[in-house]
Amino acid sequence: MKQNDWLNWQNIGLKCGLEIHAQLEGKKLFCNCPTLIRDSSPHFSVKRHLRSSAGETGHIDIAAMREMQKEKYFIYEGYVDSTCLIELDEEPPRQMNKTVFTAAIQAGTLLNMRFVDELHIMRKTIVDGSNTSSFQRTALIAQNGTIGTSEGTVTIASICIEEDACRIIRSDDDSTTYSLDRLGIPLLEIATGADIKTPEQALETAESLGMIVRSTGVAKRGLGTIRQDVNVSIRAGARVEIKGAQELKLIPELVRLEALRQQSLLTIRNSLCERNASVKESVSDVTSLFTQTSCNVIRDATQSGGIVLATKLCGFAGLLGREVQPKRRLGTELSDRAKTYAGIKGLFHSDELPGYSILPNEVSAVKNALSCEEHDGFILIAAGSVRAKRGMIAALERAQEALLGVPSEVRKANSDGTTSFLRPMPGANRMYPETDVPTILITKEILAVELPELLEDREKRYVALGLGNDLARLAARSEDWKEFEILLLKFQKLKPAYVAEIYFGAAKTIERTFKQSINPSLEDYADIFAAISDERISKESVLDILREGSPVKHVLSKYRLLSDDDIERTIRTILSQNKGGHYQALIGIVMKQLRGKASGQKVSEILTRLNGMN
Amino acid sequence: MSEQPESEQKKSPVPKEGDRIQVITADETLEGTLMPSEQLFVVLKLPSGYNIGIHKHRVREIRLVKKYAPSQVVALASAPTAGLPKISILHTGGTIASKVDYETGGVTAKFTPEELLAMFPEIKQMASVTSRLVRQMWSEDIRFSHYNILAQEVASEINAGAHAVIITHGTDTLHYTSAALAFMLQHTPVPVILVGAQRSSDRGGSDAALNLLSAITFVTTTNFADIAVCMHETTNDETCVILPATKCRKMHSSRRDAFKAVNTEPWAIVNAKTRQVRFCKTDYHHRIEQKEHVRVRSFKEDIHVGILRMHTNMYAQEFSAYNSWEGLILEGSGIAGNMPINEIDEYTKEHTAIYNALQKLTKSGTVVCVTTQTIFGSINMNVYTTGRKMQAAGIIGNYCDMTTETAFIKLAWLLSNYNKEEVAALFVTNLVGEISSRLEAAEEK
């Protein structure tokens, strides 16, 4: 990291925090269903509506209300043998699956955290439909920890045990379809404080936390099993939560681009203030100006009975097109809102017009209709009447927020490190007790768990055993490291590096070289290593044996090393057929015939002896 | 004005639920909101919203940071819309109108029309609602006295000109109450609909809204005027069923479609969103505009009626427990509501004692009636010897298809209002739709 980079982050007041969510193996958190993610067609589906209602304070959670405004219904798909009435919210939760405590307590201890005396399960309101109950069950088990990084200590605010939400299958204007398979999978949520100071430190922290979670041995593996949320703010900006960074490597870019976005939005805000800009919510129907339009989006909308709405944005000219992130402009942010809340696909802003087959004369006509002056911009929405109005309100709300700076919201990570709008930041009112599940005492017995070996420690141990760095890293992080260690114990005559090379590398080599996929069992490997140990087969034949398929014990005899007498007999025959042959030529012929059935060393020994006799 | 002693002023008051406090232990200071606490733990709501329990023996000091000041409830304007039908909503407790207090974590009940409209704003376009709490109770705590109170309230709402009465009720004994009202009020000139919820209204996934809105849709769009139950038809939040008051039953402990019609079809299926009602049966009573004064025929509050469920290996003592009771429902097995009364070998000597105990009950004046634990289907006591022996002992109920719950309510109500001979005759006579004259071959759903 360059010194001036760091100064830069400090100058803009970057604050960043992480939330790591790791799925755990075993049963679901509140029922006895397996944690099985399935692709096969579902066995049943049910249709539900979720409502938001005012809390005791009289305030409806903003995020909740927004979802209700979308007036969507939800379809939940499930499997009779792996999702039950509890996922369907047709039966109350059972007791919390206590096996998740082991992982939480291991992680908490490694992160120097304080555990609560009594665990309270809470309901966190979530009404995007991803939970059938409309809330996520979550419980805080530890707080106030730390983790070291090369740029200083990062605080760990909390570890929570949570249930995972449904998996989204598809979404259209009226409904969202979810799979129940993921709902209720236990999650370990580790949240850092907002004291990460640079994008690189964010990555380093995420890597260390991921390593600790993986070290517990019960974290699930594979795509989507660990998810990172990144919280970013800069001075005078606002906290923005970015969801769905599945790749660790993306984290520094997400932080950088969000800091950039907030800076750009603040600059835009300043320009807007200087111009005395304002958003007046008077919307004009300009459908009649587009009767001859060649713009497909507008034509499609009007021909199917829709309308074209336009609103003047006083003082916004030139700023709607201002980039806030690569290829994302202020106008994109307005368009995101209209898309999210009303499914609007065609929102146009004045800085991108004329364009999209909207002609200069049409632009002038709109400007006239709205009485736009030099610094005024406008937005256009073409859609069905109800949807166009709803989309316009949502877009104008975002324009209004531009006058204030950075809206605090939840955003979705795009694959290039930019982000798009997801939903408003949920209010603080959204947590209340889960009365269906009793509280749990965190006793000394529960806390007395054996600490796992950290992956990085295991890796060091393997390097000390003679494994190369890459192989050691691979072996330490493999799901099969325990099996590997069983093999090491059993075959102490063999070098650990050789066992690792075959156990972790042979299948890949075969895949790469022969385009053949093999799936040997632990027993197969044990049989092979036993045969090598006893010098019944040669190392050269291992790949060929594995390629024969499982179980290998049926084919081992085929590759059995020949006795010295047999080797001698073969060599004698070859020698008699190739009299006067040169040693190099002879060894070639002999090896061709004996490959895999005799070690090279033995062949050379015997050949030298017999050849010398001739 | 006298000054308070200085020491008293300094002493911080004992924090109450909802107060912002600091909990100081040997190694940490935690700040948050004090929640209803338990014996061993101080329960603290952290600023993040999470509750945690802190062992009281670890707590060195609790400091008050800020007294709890309840937020102002934002009252939504609720002027009754002119011209809409007047509907009375009576609350008896249960999950349907309960709500969690986000600040203190307690559950409170919401019953004023304003609160109801805030929870279910759609009602405003459908009806002009008055709303009142009759009793706040778990439905398992209901006694006959409560039926009397509730029926009086319903009658006075109808007599005051209500277009319909909707009763919110806990689901566990909702079908007992619906049957009780059916007998007590007989045929009402306007509909009386009982509505429950399997998930409380404070949850976004609650079934309460659809059940209530479907009931209102039903009473405002049809001329139906009977007593009925309105609950989810399926697990989907789509349609509700209108079930006959005396022929329905809670058939699942937790599903939202727990209530099913027994030995009949639902009256109707309601889709609140499309405002469509599809009637499955048409033999309901129609709304009567020229209303007679509705009278209530109450329960005797001290009447003793029991239910005894047949099981294997019974003892005579179980039957003699009902000596001197006014009535007993025997929920027997199979088609005849059989009880173990046959001595067939050396192991069944107790069965003669049971038969004698039953005879003793009937002879001493207890009205003993049978139902069947198969739930669905009719009683026919002539098919097996056992049934004929039971009839000979004075046990009644032949050819009836009442659920055990309806039979229990009916027997208690008859014993409250008629003499023994009348009770015996009326028990097997259909009064308010509780006995089917024939069971149709339609498939069970």
Side-chain angles (χ1 to χ4, degrees):
Chain A
M1 183 195 48
K2 286 181 224 139
Q3 179 71 14
N4 23 1
D5 267 1
W6 197 82
L7 279 176
N8 182 25
W9 299 125
Q10 205 181 26
N11 285 343
I12 63 166
L14 176 72
K15 272 189 182 176
C16 173
L18 292 171
E19 271 180 32
I20 309 282
H21 300 92
Q23 290 181 339
L24 303 181
E25 288 287 0
K27 285 180 181 170
K28 287 195 173 172
L29 194 53
F30 292 105
C31 66
N32 290 320
C33 287
T35 55
L36 196 63
I37 301 292
R38 298 167 80 161
D39 290 328
S40 54
S41 46
H43 301 148
F44 62 83
S45 72
V46 308
K47 185 175 166 182
R48 294 278 168 76
H49 285 278
L50 295 183
R51 300 170 60 85
S52 65
S53 55
E56 188 68 4
T57 57
H59 299 298
I60 296 177
D61 185 275
I62 307 169
M65 197 176 67
R66 274 309 201 169
E67 284 300 329
M68 196 172 153
Q69 277 177 7
K70 286 199 263 175
E71 286 172 10
K72 276 190 165 186
Y73 62 89
F74 304 104
I75 308 264
Y76 298 98
E77 297 181 339
Y79 301 89
V80 287
D81 51 346
S82 64
T83 54
C84 70
L85 288 184
I86 293 177
E87 285 99 328
L88 268 173
D89 192 35
E90 283 286 39
E91 189 183 316
R94 307 243 169 133
Q95 278 221 320
M96 189 186 262
N97 163 10
K98 286 195 175 136
T99 56
V100 302
F101 286 157
T102 311
I105 286 161
Q106 285 177 341
T109 309
L110 292 168
L111 292 166
N112 319 305
M113 304 187 75
R114 257 218 83 98
F115 295 96
V116 301
D117 298 332
E118 190 191 35
L119 193 77
H120 285 243
I121 294 119
M122 306 297 290
R123 297 171 172 177
K124 189 193 279 183
T125 307
I126 293 180
V127 277
D128 62 359
S130 60
N131 291 67
T132 46
S133 57
S134 79
F135 49 75
Q136 176 192 32
R137 296 182 183 95
T138 173
L140 182 115
I141 185 165
Q143 45 183 350
N144 299 331
T146 53
I147 190 169
T149 75
S150 58
E151 295 180 51
T153 302
V154 170
T155 60
I156 304 297
S158 61
I159 294 187
C160 296
I161 295 170
E162 304 189 327
E163 52 178 6
D164 206 344
C166 289
R167 197 161 54 91
I168 191 158
I169 303 294
R170 73 191 82 87
S171 185
D172 57 41
D173 294 342
D174 308 319
S175 71
T176 304
T177 302
Y178 288 102
S179 174
L180 293 169
D181 56 4
R182 204 179 70 180
L183 180 63
I185 293 183
L187 286 182
L188 207 58
E189 187 217 65
I190 306 179
T192 73
D195 47 9
I196 294 173
K197 293 178 209 76
T198 69
E200 293 74 22
Q201 194 184 20
L203 175 63
E204 191 185 340
T205 309
E207 281 174 340
S208 300
L209 289 176
M211 191 273 294
I212 284 177
V213 168
R214 296 247 190 257
S215 299
T216 64
V218 290
K220 274 191 179 279
R221 290 156 175 277
L223 193 70
T225 54
I226 293 195
R227 303 192 294 272
Q228 289 91 9
D229 295 347
V230 188
N231 280 286
V232 182
S233 72
I234 62 168
R235 195 174 300 115
R239 182 163 83 91
V240 165
E241 184 178 323
I242 304 169
K243 286 213 169 284
Q246 291 201 352
E247 266 206 71
L248 276 180
K249 283 179 211 140
L250 199 59
I251 289 177
E253 192 65 0
L254 283 170
V255 176
R256 246 177 249 129
L257 290 181
E258 180 54 31
L260 173 72
R261 179 178 163 269
Q262 297 201 9
Q263 272 188 307
S264 311
L265 288 174
L266 290 174
T267 313
I268 290 173
R269 193 254 333 249
N270 293 343
S271 308
L272 288 169
C273 286
E274 278 164 27
R275 293 182 187 181
N276 215 359
S278 65
V279 178
K280 299 207 172 56
E281 297 194 354
S282 81
V283 181
S284 308
D285 187 332
V286 292
T287 317
S288 60
L289 305 179
F290 290 93
T291 45
Q292 304 296 320
T293 192
S294 44
C295 170
N296 288 336
V297 177
I298 295 181
R299 207 178 42 221
D300 290 353
T302 52
Q303 279 178 0
S304 52
I307 55 172
V308 188
L309 295 180
T311 303
K312 175 164 74 169
L313 299 173
C314 300
F316 276 71
L319 297 174
L320 288 165
R322 185 74 68 79
E323 246 186 20
V324 294
Q325 284 187 329
K327 292 188 184 145
R328 297 187 53 87
R329 296 152 207 285
L330 178 59
T332 323
E333 302 228 338
L334 269 61
S335 160
D336 269 3
R337 290 285 179 92
K339 191 172 171 186
T340 308
Y341 290 122
I344 300 292
K345 281 162 199 111
L347 180 149
F348 306 98
H349 61 81
S350 45
D351 287 351
E352 59 189 354
L353 301 176
Y356 301 99
S357 305
I358 297 175
L359 304 172
N361 62 321
E362 290 169 326
V363 175
S364 315
V366 173
K367 278 187 175 169
N368 274 336
L370 299 174
S371 347
C372 286
E373 289 173 22
E374 192 197 344
H375 281 308
D376 297 340
F378 66 84
I379 50 175
L380 277 182
I381 286 178
S385 155
V386 174
R387 197 184 290 168
K389 283 176 199 159
R390 218 193 301 163
M392 183 57 88
I393 291 168
L396 291 180
E397 199 173 77
R398 179 64 190 88
Q400 191 79 48
E401 289 165 358
L403 302 172
L404 303 172
V406 183
S408 188
E409 60 193 23
V410 182
R411 301 180 65 81
K412 181 183 85 198
N414 301 325
S415 55
D416 61 353
T418 63
T419 55
S420 338
F421 176 76
L422 202 58
R423 55 176 176 261
M425 193 66 88
N429 279 343
R430 63 175 188 152
M431 199 97 87
Y432 62 103
E434 168 54 270
T435 44
D436 296 341
V437 185
T439 58
I440 298 165
L441 279 182
I442 304 297
T443 56
K444 285 200 182 95
E445 291 70 42
I446 292 180
L447 288 173
V449 299
E450 209 177 309
L451 286 185
E453 181 184 33
L454 285 179
L455 296 182
E456 53 190 28
D457 293 342
R458 190 182 302 149
E459 191 179 323
K460 282 180 201 150
R461 190 158 58 80
Y462 288 168
V463 170
L465 284 175
L467 272 68
N469 287 341
D470 288 347
L471 190 57
R473 188 178 162 83
L474 179 79
R477 277 153 212 270
S478 163
E479 217 167 333
D480 301 323
W481 68 275
K482 276 188 189 157
E483 286 74 14
F484 166 61
E485 298 210 352
I486 291 171
L487 293 173
L488 287 188
L489 267 177
K490 219 165 165 182
F491 305 108
Q492 297 194 7
K493 264 173 79 179
L494 301 176
K495 280 188 182 158
Y498 175 70
V499 176
E501 213 172 281
I502 297 299
Y503 188 61
F504 295 111
K508 273 183 212 153
T509 308
I510 289 169
E511 173 94 57
R512 203 171 46 235
T513 319
F514 304 101
K515 309 275 174 261
Q516 180 189 347
S517 123
I518 59 161
N519 189 20
S521 65
L522 178 64
E523 207 186 329
D524 290 333
Y525 283 112
D527 287 341
I528 288 177
F529 289 129
I532 293 172
S533 240
D534 305 343
E535 294 176 15
R536 277 181 281 126
I537 59 166
S538 85
K539 286 180 179 174
E540 284 83 359
S541 54
V542 167
L543 292 188
D544 292 329
I545 294 170
L546 284 170
R547 287 185 63 201
E548 299 260 3
S550 184
V552 301
K553 64 169 162 257
H554 296 162
V555 296
L556 274 178
S557 58
K558 224 169 104 184
Y559 294 88
R560 210 181 169 84
L561 288 174
L562 297 176
S563 68
D564 288 4
D565 287 350
D566 288 340
I567 298 169
E568 203 171 312
R569 204 169 301 128
T570 310
I571 293 180
R572 275 184 200 283
T573 315
I574 290 171
L575 283 176
S576 65
Q577 287 161 357
N578 298 278
K579 284 207 167 93
H582 199 272
Y583 178 82
Q584 287 304 328
L586 287 172
I587 190 108
I589 299 164
V590 173
M591 280 316 289
K592 195 175 172 191
Q593 201 157 341
L594 292 179
R595 195 171 63 88
K597 294 177 185 163
S599 76
Q601 198 189 343
K602 183 130 288 171
V603 169
S604 142
E605 233 172 70
I606 297 174
L607 178 63
T608 310
R609 179 160 53 82
L610 295 180
N611 203 25
M613 280 161 52
N614 280 1
Chain B
M1 257 171 71
S2 65
E3 292 239 351
Q4 284 197 337
E6 210 181 294
S7 61
E8 286 249 331
Q9 269 190 342
K10 273 192 175 169
K11 205 172 161 188
S12 67
V14 179
K16 293 201 175 68
E17 285 161 23
D19 288 350
R20 181 89 169 185
I21 57 163
Q22 270 187 344
V23 179
I24 295 152
T25 71
D27 51 1
E28 58 185 344
T29 299
L30 297 162
E31 189 167 324
T33 308
L34 182 64
M35 303 307 276
S37 292
E38 300 143 28
Q39 212 175 0
L40 290 173
F41 298 91
V42 174
V43 180
L44 194 67
K45 186 180 216 41
L46 300 172
S48 59
Y50 281 97
N51 290 10
I52 60 168
I54 307 156
H55 235 295
K56 280 188 180 160
H57 70 67
R58 287 213 299 126
V59 176
R60 293 222 172 138
E61 195 190 339
I62 294 182
R63 276 192 206 139
L64 179 73
V65 178
K66 198 170 157 247
K67 289 287 305 166
Y68 170 55
S71 319
Q72 287 295 307
V73 171
V74 184
L76 299 174
S78 66
T81 320
L84 288 177
K86 229 183 92 188
I87 292 176
S88 299
I89 303 186
L90 300 176
H91 302 283
T92 64
T95 49
I96 187 157
S98 63
K99 221 166 159 45
V100 157
D101 182 331
Y102 285 80
E103 287 173 30
T104 64
V107 177
T108 55
K110 297 288 175 195
F111 300 112
T112 68
E114 291 76 19
E115 288 165 331
L116 209 67
L117 289 176
M119 283 167 82
F120 311 110
E122 299 95 322
I123 295 177
K124 250 172 106 177
Q125 273 91 54
M126 305 166 76
S128 163
V129 169
T130 62
S131 167
R132 200 149 40 86
L133 176 65
V134 176
R135 270 291 188 286
Q136 171 64 7
M137 63 193 304
W138 300 114
S139 71
E140 62 269 31
D141 291 326
I142 287 178
R143 300 188 68 84
F144 292 159
S145 312
H146 299 112
Y147 295 147
N148 293 344
I149 295 169
L150 182 60
Q152 287 297 348
E153 296 274 1
V154 172
S156 64
E157 291 299 322
I158 297 173
N159 294 335
H163 178 84
V165 179
I166 291 175
I167 300 162
T168 69
H169 198 290
T171 52
D172 283 0
T173 67
L174 189 144
H175 48 301
Y176 286 81
T177 302
S178 64
L181 291 176
F183 291 111
M184 294 165 83
L185 295 166
Q186 302 286 316
H187 298 301
T188 50
V190 300
V192 177
I193 313 286
L194 290 100
V195 172
Q198 293 278 76
R199 301 282 168 281
S200 60
S201 305
D202 54 28
R203 308 167 54 145
S206 170
D207 52 333
L210 187 68
N211 293 345
L212 186 60
L213 297 175
S214 298
I216 296 176
T217 303
F218 183 64
V219 298
T220 52
T221 57
T222 68
N223 63 351
F224 178 94
D226 254 310
I227 299 172
V229 171
C230 178
M231 293 288 286
H232 266 54
E233 184 193 12
T234 65
T235 186
N236 300 310
D237 288 330
E238 227 169 1
T239 48
C240 282
V241 275
I242 305 294
L243 300 166
T246 54
K247 296 199 87 62
C248 68
R249 193 174 189 278
K250 187 175 184 181
M251 300 294 281
H252 198 280
S253 60
S254 60
R255 283 176 64 122
R256 53 202 78 200
D257 58 350
F259 279 80
K260 301 289 180 202
V262 177
N263 292 332
T264 187
E265 290 285 296
W267 286 120
I269 314 285
V270 182
N271 186 322
K273 193 166 186 190
T274 61
R275 295 181 66 76
Q276 278 173 331
V277 175
R278 182 169 63 80
F279 276 96
C280 313
K281 306 194 296 174
T282 50
D283 52 340
Y284 55 87
H285 290 86
H286 288 201
R287 185 179 279 286
I288 303 164
E289 290 310 330
Q290 294 295 327
K291 288 169 199 166
E292 269 178 59
H293 204 67
V294 175
R295 272 177 227 290
V296 177
R297 299 188 72 180
S298 302
F299 281 83
K300 266 190 195 151
E301 298 183 356
D302 60 350
I303 202 104
H304 281 54
V305 176
I307 298 175
L308 178 58
R309 194 166 199 268
M310 180 269 166
H311 57 87
T312 55
N313 214 57
M314 289 187 96
Y315 285 94
Q317 208 183 359
E318 296 176 62
F319 295 81
S320 46
Y322 295 94
N323 283 341
S324 83
W325 285 44
E326 282 97 331
L328 176 63
I329 300 291
L330 295 176
E331 188 179 73
S333 62
I335 184 153
N338 291 316
M339 285 285 154
I341 51 172
N342 306 307
E343 186 176 332
I344 52 139
D345 56 16
E346 68 268 39
Y347 305 110
T348 45
K349 291 201 167 71
E350 183 71 15
H351 294 177
T352 302
I354 289 175
Y355 191 62
N356 292 338
L358 276 171
Q359 279 181 314
K360 196 179 159 199
L361 277 176
T362 51
K363 274 182 191 145
S364 68
T366 305
V367 180
V368 182
C369 316
V370 289
T371 60
T372 175
Q373 47 189 252
T374 62
I375 301 173
F376 286 92
S378 233
I379 292 285
N380 188 325
M381 300 175 81
N382 296 328
V383 180
Y384 297 105
T385 327
T386 307
R388 287 196 283 267
K389 261 175 86 179
M390 285 169 64
Q391 288 184 80
I395 297 167
I396 61 170
N398 202 10
Y399 304 129
C400 291
D401 69 328
M402 286 180 278
T403 61
T404 301
E405 296 79 5
T406 295
F408 163 79
I409 290 290
K410 183 178 184 181
L411 182 57
W413 179 79
L414 290 173
L415 287 166
S416 303
N417 292 285
Y418 298 93
N419 66 40
K420 291 271 162 71
E421 287 69 38
E422 289 170 325
V423 170
L426 289 172
F427 184 81
V428 294
T429 309
N430 178 36
L431 301 178
V432 291
E434 75 280 14
I435 299 173
S436 315
S437 55
R438 46 190 285 279
L439 292 188
E440 290 181 3
E443 251 179 80
E444 293 294 351
K445 277 176 199 142

